Amino acid sequence: MRKISDAHVAVPGLAVVEVAAADDETAFAVQKLLAARCAIAPTDRTTREPGEPGVRLAA
């Protein structure tokens, strides 16, 4: 997953949310809940880190 940089949160009101979940289905369900409550830039893919359990996505 890309590292969160100062540019991602340089403007007041912006935030980066990283979701870690056991599987894609759970990660996308959390993203859907966030999207229903606030404006997000959803992603259509998750990442898997070698040697780490589960999946991650950033919304």
Short mmCIF file of all heavy atoms in Angstrom, two decimals:
data_model
loop_
_atom_site.label_atom_id
_atom_site.label_comp_id
_atom_site.label_asym_id
_atom_site.label_seq_id
_atom_site.Cartn_x
_atom_site.Cartn_y
_atom_site.Cartn_z
N MET A 1 0.84 -1.17 0.00
CA MET A 1 0.00 0.00 0.00
C MET A 1 0.88 1.23 0.00
O MET A 1 1.93 1.25 0.63
CB MET A 1 -0.89 -0.03 1.23
CG MET A 1 -1.76 1.18 1.36
SD MET A 1 -3.20 0.89 2.37
CE MET A 1 -4.26 0.17 1.16
N ARG A 2 0.45 2.26 -0.73
CA ARG A 2 1.21 3.49 -0.78
C ARG A 2 1.29 4.13 0.60
O ARG A 2 0.34 4.10 1.37
CB ARG A 2 0.57 4.48 -1.74
CG ARG A 2 0.64 4.06 -3.17
CD ARG A 2 0.07 5.10 -4.09
NE ARG A 2 -1.28 5.47 -3.66
CZ ARG A 2 -1.90 6.58 -4.00
NH1 ARG A 2 -1.32 7.45 -4.78
NH2 ARG A 2 -3.12 6.84 -3.60
N LYS A 3 2.42 4.73 0.88
CA LYS A 3 2.63 5.42 2.14
C LYS A 3 1.81 6.71 2.16
O LYS A 3 1.72 7.40 1.14
CB LYS A 3 4.11 5.72 2.32
CG LYS A 3 4.46 6.23 3.65
CD LYS A 3 5.97 6.33 3.80
CE LYS A 3 6.28 6.69 5.23
NZ LYS A 3 7.67 6.51 5.55
N ILE A 4 1.21 7.03 3.28
CA ILE A 4 0.45 8.27 3.43
C ILE A 4 1.46 9.40 3.58
O ILE A 4 2.34 9.35 4.44
CB ILE A 4 -0.49 8.20 4.64
CG1 ILE A 4 -1.51 7.08 4.44
CG2 ILE A 4 -1.18 9.53 4.87
CD1 ILE A 4 -2.32 6.76 5.67
N SER A 5 1.34 10.44 2.75
CA SER A 5 2.27 11.56 2.79
C SER A 5 1.57 12.82 3.28
O SER A 5 0.34 12.87 3.37
CB SER A 5 2.88 11.81 1.41
OG SER A 5 1.90 12.37 0.55
N ASP A 6 2.36 13.84 3.56
CA ASP A 6 1.80 15.12 3.99
C ASP A 6 0.83 15.68 2.96
O ASP A 6 -0.15 16.33 3.31
CB ASP A 6 2.92 16.13 4.25
CG ASP A 6 3.77 15.78 5.45
OD1 ASP A 6 3.31 14.99 6.30
OD2 ASP A 6 4.90 16.29 5.54
N ALA A 7 1.07 15.43 1.69
CA ALA A 7 0.20 15.95 0.63
C ALA A 7 -1.22 15.39 0.73
O ALA A 7 -2.18 16.06 0.35
CB ALA A 7 0.78 15.64 -0.74
N HIS A 8 -1.36 14.17 1.23
CA HIS A 8 -2.68 13.56 1.35
C HIS A 8 -3.57 14.29 2.35
O HIS A 8 -4.79 14.21 2.27
CB HIS A 8 -2.57 12.09 1.76
CG HIS A 8 -2.02 11.21 0.69
ND1 HIS A 8 -0.81 10.59 0.82
CD2 HIS A 8 -2.51 10.86 -0.52
CE1 HIS A 8 -0.58 9.88 -0.28
NE2 HIS A 8 -1.59 10.03 -1.10
N VAL A 9 -2.96 14.95 3.32
CA VAL A 9 -3.73 15.62 4.38
C VAL A 9 -3.33 17.09 4.51
O VAL A 9 -3.43 17.67 5.58
CB VAL A 9 -3.58 14.88 5.72
CG1 VAL A 9 -4.25 13.52 5.67
CG2 VAL A 9 -2.12 14.72 6.12
N ALA A 10 -2.91 17.71 3.42
CA ALA A 10 -2.42 19.08 3.44
C ALA A 10 -3.52 20.12 3.59
O ALA A 10 -3.27 21.24 3.99
CB ALA A 10 -1.60 19.36 2.18
N VAL A 11 -4.74 19.78 3.26
CA VAL A 11 -5.85 20.72 3.29
C VAL A 11 -6.76 20.38 4.46
O VAL A 11 -7.13 19.21 4.63
CB VAL A 11 -6.64 20.66 1.95
CG1 VAL A 11 -7.81 21.61 1.97
CG2 VAL A 11 -5.73 20.96 0.78
N PRO A 12 -7.14 21.39 5.27
CA PRO A 12 -8.09 21.11 6.36
C PRO A 12 -9.35 20.44 5.82
O PRO A 12 -9.86 20.80 4.76
CB PRO A 12 -8.40 22.49 6.93
CG PRO A 12 -7.19 23.31 6.61
CD PRO A 12 -6.73 22.80 5.26
N GLY A 13 -9.83 19.44 6.53
CA GLY A 13 -11.02 18.73 6.11
C GLY A 13 -10.73 17.43 5.37
O GLY A 13 -11.64 16.64 5.14
N LEU A 14 -9.47 17.21 4.97
CA LEU A 14 -9.10 15.96 4.31
C LEU A 14 -8.56 14.96 5.32
O LEU A 14 -7.92 15.35 6.30
CB LEU A 14 -8.04 16.20 3.24
CG LEU A 14 -8.44 17.03 2.03
CD1 LEU A 14 -7.26 17.14 1.06
CD2 LEU A 14 -9.63 16.41 1.32
N ALA A 15 -8.80 13.70 5.07
CA ALA A 15 -8.28 12.64 5.92
C ALA A 15 -8.05 11.40 5.07
O ALA A 15 -8.66 11.24 4.02
CB ALA A 15 -9.27 12.31 7.04
N VAL A 16 -7.16 10.55 5.53
CA VAL A 16 -6.93 9.27 4.88
C VAL A 16 -7.36 8.19 5.87
O VAL A 16 -6.97 8.21 7.03
CB VAL A 16 -5.44 9.07 4.51
CG1 VAL A 16 -5.21 7.68 3.96
CG2 VAL A 16 -5.01 10.13 3.51
N VAL A 17 -8.19 7.27 5.40
CA VAL A 17 -8.65 6.17 6.23
C VAL A 17 -8.11 4.88 5.61
O VAL A 17 -8.36 4.60 4.45
CB VAL A 17 -10.19 6.10 6.28
CG1 VAL A 17 -10.66 4.91 7.09
CG2 VAL A 17 -10.75 7.40 6.85
N GLU A 18 -7.37 4.13 6.40
CA GLU A 18 -6.87 2.85 5.93
C GLU A 18 -7.66 1.75 6.62
O GLU A 18 -7.82 1.76 7.83
CB GLU A 18 -5.38 2.69 6.24
CG GLU A 18 -4.81 1.40 5.71
CD GLU A 18 -3.33 1.24 5.99
OE1 GLU A 18 -2.85 1.76 7.01
OE2 GLU A 18 -2.68 0.60 5.18
N VAL A 19 -8.20 0.83 5.83
CA VAL A 19 -9.01 -0.28 6.34
C VAL A 19 -8.19 -1.56 6.25
O VAL A 19 -7.67 -1.89 5.18
CB VAL A 19 -10.32 -0.43 5.54
CG1 VAL A 19 -11.11 -1.63 6.02
CG2 VAL A 19 -11.14 0.84 5.62
N ALA A 20 -8.08 -2.26 7.36
CA ALA A 20 -7.44 -3.58 7.37
C ALA A 20 -8.52 -4.59 7.71
O ALA A 20 -9.28 -4.40 8.67
CB ALA A 20 -6.32 -3.63 8.40
N ALA A 21 -8.66 -5.63 6.91
CA ALA A 21 -9.72 -6.61 7.10
C ALA A 21 -9.22 -8.01 6.75
O ALA A 21 -8.19 -8.16 6.10
CB ALA A 21 -10.92 -6.26 6.22
N ALA A 22 -9.97 -9.00 7.16
CA ALA A 22 -9.59 -10.39 6.91
C ALA A 22 -9.71 -10.76 5.43
O ALA A 22 -8.96 -11.60 4.94
CB ALA A 22 -10.45 -11.34 7.74
N ASP A 23 -10.65 -10.10 4.70
CA ASP A 23 -10.86 -10.46 3.30
C ASP A 23 -11.41 -9.27 2.52
O ASP A 23 -11.79 -8.26 3.10
CB ASP A 23 -11.82 -11.66 3.20
CG ASP A 23 -13.14 -11.42 3.91
OD1 ASP A 23 -13.69 -10.30 3.82
OD2 ASP A 23 -13.62 -12.35 4.57
N ASP A 24 -11.42 -9.39 1.20
CA ASP A 24 -11.91 -8.32 0.32
C ASP A 24 -13.35 -7.95 0.65
O ASP A 24 -13.70 -6.76 0.70
CB ASP A 24 -11.83 -8.74 -1.14
CG ASP A 24 -10.41 -8.82 -1.68
OD1 ASP A 24 -9.47 -8.43 -0.96
OD2 ASP A 24 -10.25 -9.27 -2.82
N GLU A 25 -14.21 -8.93 0.84
CA GLU A 25 -15.63 -8.68 1.09
C GLU A 25 -15.81 -7.76 2.30
O GLU A 25 -16.59 -6.81 2.26
CB GLU A 25 -16.36 -10.00 1.31
CG GLU A 25 -17.85 -9.84 1.52
CD GLU A 25 -18.57 -11.17 1.71
OE1 GLU A 25 -18.02 -12.22 1.36
OE2 GLU A 25 -19.70 -11.12 2.22
N THR A 26 -15.10 -8.03 3.37
CA THR A 26 -15.21 -7.21 4.58
C THR A 26 -14.66 -5.81 4.35
O THR A 26 -15.28 -4.82 4.75
CB THR A 26 -14.46 -7.88 5.75
OG1 THR A 26 -14.99 -9.19 5.93
CG2 THR A 26 -14.61 -7.09 7.03
N ALA A 27 -13.51 -5.70 3.68
CA ALA A 27 -12.92 -4.39 3.41
C ALA A 27 -13.86 -3.53 2.57
O ALA A 27 -14.06 -2.34 2.87
CB ALA A 27 -11.58 -4.56 2.70
N PHE A 28 -14.46 -4.10 1.54
CA PHE A 28 -15.38 -3.34 0.70
C PHE A 28 -16.68 -3.01 1.43
O PHE A 28 -17.29 -1.97 1.18
CB PHE A 28 -15.65 -4.07 -0.61
CG PHE A 28 -14.45 -4.05 -1.54
CD1 PHE A 28 -13.94 -5.22 -2.04
CD2 PHE A 28 -13.85 -2.86 -1.90
CE1 PHE A 28 -12.84 -5.22 -2.88
CE2 PHE A 28 -12.74 -2.84 -2.74
CZ PHE A 28 -12.24 -4.03 -3.24
N ALA A 29 -17.11 -3.84 2.36
CA ALA A 29 -18.30 -3.53 3.16
C ALA A 29 -18.05 -2.31 4.04
O ALA A 29 -18.91 -1.43 4.16
CB ALA A 29 -18.70 -4.74 4.01
N VAL A 30 -16.87 -2.22 4.62
CA VAL A 30 -16.51 -1.05 5.42
C VAL A 30 -16.45 0.19 4.54
O VAL A 30 -16.94 1.26 4.90
CB VAL A 30 -15.18 -1.28 6.17
CG1 VAL A 30 -14.71 0.00 6.84
CG2 VAL A 30 -15.33 -2.39 7.19
N GLN A 31 -15.85 0.07 3.36
CA GLN A 31 -15.80 1.20 2.43
C GLN A 31 -17.20 1.66 2.07
O GLN A 31 -17.47 2.86 2.00
CB GLN A 31 -15.04 0.79 1.16
CG GLN A 31 -14.96 1.89 0.13
CD GLN A 31 -14.16 1.49 -1.07
OE1 GLN A 31 -13.04 1.92 -1.22
NE2 GLN A 31 -14.73 0.66 -1.94
N LYS A 32 -18.11 0.73 1.86
CA LYS A 32 -19.50 1.08 1.52
C LYS A 32 -20.16 1.84 2.66
O LYS A 32 -20.89 2.81 2.43
CB LYS A 32 -20.28 -0.20 1.19
CG LYS A 32 -21.68 0.05 0.70
CD LYS A 32 -22.34 -1.26 0.30
CE LYS A 32 -23.76 -1.02 -0.19
NZ LYS A 32 -24.41 -2.28 -0.60
N LEU A 33 -19.91 1.42 3.91
CA LEU A 33 -20.46 2.14 5.06
C LEU A 33 -19.92 3.57 5.13
O LEU A 33 -20.67 4.51 5.39
CB LEU A 33 -20.12 1.40 6.36
CG LEU A 33 -20.86 0.11 6.62
CD1 LEU A 33 -20.27 -0.61 7.84
CD2 LEU A 33 -22.34 0.38 6.85
N LEU A 34 -18.62 3.74 4.89
CA LEU A 34 -18.03 5.08 4.89
C LEU A 34 -18.64 5.94 3.79
O LEU A 34 -18.95 7.11 4.00
CB LEU A 34 -16.51 5.00 4.72
CG LEU A 34 -15.73 4.43 5.89
CD1 LEU A 34 -14.27 4.20 5.49
CD2 LEU A 34 -15.82 5.33 7.10
N ALA A 35 -18.79 5.38 2.60
CA ALA A 35 -19.33 6.12 1.46
C ALA A 35 -20.76 6.57 1.70
O ALA A 35 -21.18 7.61 1.19
CB ALA A 35 -19.25 5.28 0.20
N ALA A 36 -21.52 5.82 2.48
CA ALA A 36 -22.90 6.18 2.78
C ALA A 36 -22.99 7.37 3.73
O ALA A 36 -24.02 8.04 3.80
CB ALA A 36 -23.64 4.99 3.38
N ARG A 37 -21.89 7.66 4.43
CA ARG A 37 -21.92 8.70 5.46
C ARG A 37 -21.10 9.94 5.12
O ARG A 37 -21.26 10.97 5.73
CB ARG A 37 -21.45 8.12 6.78
CG ARG A 37 -22.49 7.20 7.36
CD ARG A 37 -21.96 6.35 8.49
NE ARG A 37 -23.00 5.53 9.09
CZ ARG A 37 -23.55 4.47 8.55
NH1 ARG A 37 -23.21 4.10 7.34
NH2 ARG A 37 -24.48 3.79 9.18
N CYS A 38 -20.17 9.83 4.18
CA CYS A 38 -19.32 10.97 3.84
C CYS A 38 -18.78 10.81 2.43
O CYS A 38 -18.86 9.75 1.84
CB CYS A 38 -18.17 11.10 4.85
SG CYS A 38 -17.13 9.65 4.99
N ALA A 39 -18.22 11.90 1.92
CA ALA A 39 -17.64 11.86 0.57
C ALA A 39 -16.27 11.20 0.64
O ALA A 39 -15.40 11.65 1.37
CB ALA A 39 -17.51 13.28 0.03
N ILE A 40 -16.11 10.12 -0.09
CA ILE A 40 -14.82 9.42 -0.14
C ILE A 40 -14.45 9.15 -1.59
O ILE A 40 -15.30 9.21 -2.48
CB ILE A 40 -14.81 8.10 0.65
CG1 ILE A 40 -15.74 7.06 0.01
CG2 ILE A 40 -15.16 8.33 2.11
CD1 ILE A 40 -15.53 5.66 0.56
N ALA A 41 -13.20 8.86 -1.80
CA ALA A 41 -12.73 8.41 -3.12
C ALA A 41 -12.56 6.90 -3.02
O ALA A 41 -11.52 6.42 -2.59
CB ALA A 41 -11.41 9.09 -3.46
N PRO A 42 -13.60 6.14 -3.36
CA PRO A 42 -13.52 4.69 -3.19
C PRO A 42 -12.52 4.05 -4.15
O PRO A 42 -12.20 4.60 -5.20
CB PRO A 42 -14.93 4.22 -3.49
CG PRO A 42 -15.53 5.28 -4.33
CD PRO A 42 -14.86 6.57 -3.93
N THR A 43 -12.03 2.91 -3.75
CA THR A 43 -11.12 2.14 -4.58
C THR A 43 -11.79 0.83 -4.98
O THR A 43 -12.75 0.41 -4.33
CB THR A 43 -9.79 1.86 -3.83
OG1 THR A 43 -8.90 1.19 -4.72
CG2 THR A 43 -10.01 1.02 -2.60
N ASP A 44 -11.32 0.24 -6.05
CA ASP A 44 -11.91 -1.02 -6.50
C ASP A 44 -10.96 -2.20 -6.29
O ASP A 44 -11.17 -3.27 -6.82
CB ASP A 44 -12.33 -0.94 -7.96
CG ASP A 44 -11.17 -0.63 -8.90
OD1 ASP A 44 -10.05 -0.36 -8.40
OD2 ASP A 44 -11.38 -0.65 -10.11
N ARG A 45 -9.87 -1.96 -5.52
CA ARG A 45 -8.94 -3.06 -5.28
C ARG A 45 -8.36 -2.96 -3.86
O ARG A 45 -8.28 -1.89 -3.29
CB ARG A 45 -7.82 -3.08 -6.30
CG ARG A 45 -6.95 -1.87 -6.26
CD ARG A 45 -5.94 -1.89 -7.40
NE ARG A 45 -5.25 -0.62 -7.40
CZ ARG A 45 -3.95 -0.48 -7.25
NH1 ARG A 45 -3.19 -1.53 -7.10
NH2 ARG A 45 -3.40 0.70 -7.25
N THR A 46 -7.97 -4.09 -3.35
CA THR A 46 -7.30 -4.17 -2.07
C THR A 46 -5.86 -4.60 -2.32
O THR A 46 -5.50 -5.01 -3.42
CB THR A 46 -7.97 -5.20 -1.13
OG1 THR A 46 -7.96 -6.47 -1.77
CG2 THR A 46 -9.40 -4.80 -0.80
N THR A 47 -5.04 -4.46 -1.30
CA THR A 47 -3.66 -4.92 -1.41
C THR A 47 -3.38 -5.95 -0.33
O THR A 47 -3.99 -5.94 0.73
CB THR A 47 -2.66 -3.76 -1.25
OG1 THR A 47 -2.87 -3.12 0.01
CG2 THR A 47 -2.81 -2.74 -2.36
N ARG A 48 -2.48 -6.84 -0.63
CA ARG A 48 -2.01 -7.85 0.32
C ARG A 48 -0.52 -7.65 0.51
O ARG A 48 0.22 -7.59 -0.46
CB ARG A 48 -2.28 -9.26 -0.20
CG ARG A 48 -3.75 -9.57 -0.33
CD ARG A 48 -3.96 -11.01 -0.81
NE ARG A 48 -5.37 -11.26 -1.05
CZ ARG A 48 -6.25 -11.59 -0.13
NH1 ARG A 48 -5.87 -11.75 1.11
NH2 ARG A 48 -7.51 -11.78 -0.43
N GLU A 49 -0.10 -7.54 1.74
CA GLU A 49 1.32 -7.40 2.06
C GLU A 49 1.89 -8.79 2.32
O GLU A 49 1.35 -9.52 3.14
CB GLU A 49 1.52 -6.52 3.29
CG GLU A 49 1.05 -5.08 3.11
CD GLU A 49 1.89 -4.32 2.10
OE1 GLU A 49 3.10 -4.60 1.97
OE2 GLU A 49 1.33 -3.43 1.44
N PRO A 50 2.96 -9.17 1.62
CA PRO A 50 3.57 -10.48 1.85
C PRO A 50 3.93 -10.66 3.32
O PRO A 50 4.49 -9.79 3.95
CB PRO A 50 4.83 -10.45 0.99
CG PRO A 50 4.55 -9.42 -0.06
CD PRO A 50 3.68 -8.39 0.60
N GLY A 51 3.53 -11.79 3.86
CA GLY A 51 3.82 -12.12 5.25
C GLY A 51 2.88 -11.52 6.26
O GLY A 51 2.98 -11.77 7.45
N GLU A 52 1.95 -10.67 5.82
CA GLU A 52 0.97 -10.04 6.71
C GLU A 52 -0.42 -10.66 6.47
O GLU A 52 -0.76 -10.96 5.34
CB GLU A 52 0.89 -8.53 6.45
CG GLU A 52 2.17 -7.77 6.75
CD GLU A 52 2.47 -7.72 8.23
OE1 GLU A 52 1.54 -7.60 9.03
OE2 GLU A 52 3.66 -7.80 8.59
N PRO A 53 -1.18 -10.83 7.53
CA PRO A 53 -2.53 -11.39 7.34
C PRO A 53 -3.50 -10.37 6.75
O PRO A 53 -3.32 -9.17 6.91
CB PRO A 53 -2.94 -11.77 8.77
CG PRO A 53 -2.19 -10.80 9.63
CD PRO A 53 -0.88 -10.56 8.91
N GLY A 54 -4.50 -10.85 6.05
CA GLY A 54 -5.60 -10.01 5.59
C GLY A 54 -5.27 -9.13 4.40
O GLY A 54 -4.27 -9.31 3.71
N VAL A 55 -6.16 -8.15 4.18
CA VAL A 55 -6.06 -7.22 3.07
C VAL A 55 -6.19 -5.80 3.60
O VAL A 55 -6.66 -5.57 4.70
CB VAL A 55 -7.15 -7.47 2.01
CG1 VAL A 55 -7.02 -8.85 1.40
CG2 VAL A 55 -8.54 -7.28 2.59
N ARG A 56 -5.80 -4.83 2.76
CA ARG A 56 -5.90 -3.42 3.14
C ARG A 56 -6.44 -2.62 1.96
O ARG A 56 -6.22 -2.97 0.81
CB ARG A 56 -4.55 -2.86 3.54
CG ARG A 56 -3.98 -3.53 4.76
CD ARG A 56 -2.71 -2.82 5.22
NE ARG A 56 -2.08 -3.51 6.33
CZ ARG A 56 -2.48 -3.45 7.60
NH1 ARG A 56 -3.52 -2.72 7.91
NH2 ARG A 56 -1.85 -4.11 8.55
N LEU A 57 -7.13 -1.54 2.28
CA LEU A 57 -7.52 -0.57 1.27
C LEU A 57 -7.50 0.80 1.91
O LEU A 57 -7.61 0.93 3.12
CB LEU A 57 -8.88 -0.89 0.63
CG LEU A 57 -10.16 -0.80 1.44
CD1 LEU A 57 -10.64 0.64 1.57
CD2 LEU A 57 -11.25 -1.60 0.75
N ALA A 58 -7.31 1.82 1.10
CA ALA A 58 -7.35 3.20 1.59
C ALA A 58 -8.50 3.91 0.92
O ALA A 58 -8.69 3.81 -0.29
CB ALA A 58 -6.04 3.91 1.29
N ALA A 59 -9.31 4.58 1.72
CA ALA A 59 -10.46 5.32 1.19
C ALA A 59 -10.31 6.79 1.49
O ALA A 59 -9.67 7.17 2.42
CB ALA A 59 -11.74 4.78 1.81
#
